[in-house]
Amino acid sequence: MSIFARKPRREKSERVNEAIADLQREPVKRLNINLPRSVHKSLKQLALENNETLHDLINRLIHKELKRASKAQSD
């Protein structure tokens, strides 16, 4: 018996579905920004309060703002 826990082996169909999903995802570009420390700290705190990663929080906020701006332009 090993002291290291093994991950359960995934079924072939599950691996195929994951590979297909990876191919269908939109390509991503990296965005680096410089923020004041206080803003960075506030964002980290907000992410912690919402039980999400900083990456997910920023992504959600950007998408929300883009949706709002798009709606404002169409009005």
Side-chain angles (χ1 to χ4, degrees):
M1 184 167 143
S2 174
I3 61 172
F4 298 105
R6 281 192 143 176
K7 286 194 231 176
R9 190 168 180 97
R10 294 180 297 170
E11 295 295 321
K12 185 175 181 180
S13 61
E14 185 180 345
R15 289 181 288 167
V16 169
N17 289 339
E18 287 178 10
I20 291 170
D22 284 343
L23 291 174
Q24 292 174 337
R25 279 194 201 117
E26 183 178 354
V28 296
K29 295 291 283 180
R30 187 164 187 83
L31 174 66
N32 293 316
I33 60 172
N34 293 320
L35 295 172
R37 282 182 194 231
S38 60
V39 173
H40 186 266
K41 185 176 180 180
S42 296
L43 287 170
K44 283 176 64 174
Q45 184 63 37
L46 185 58
L48 184 63
E49 290 169 2
N50 291 327
N51 197 28
E52 60 186 333
T53 64
L54 189 55
H55 169 269
D56 291 338
L57 171 69
I58 299 298
N59 229 344
R60 183 172 55 79
L61 292 173
I62 289 172
H63 280 92
K64 183 177 177 181
E65 180 60 23
L66 289 173
K67 190 174 183 178
R68 188 193 64 76
S70 175
K71 186 177 179 184
Q73 282 182 346
S74 66
D75 289 342

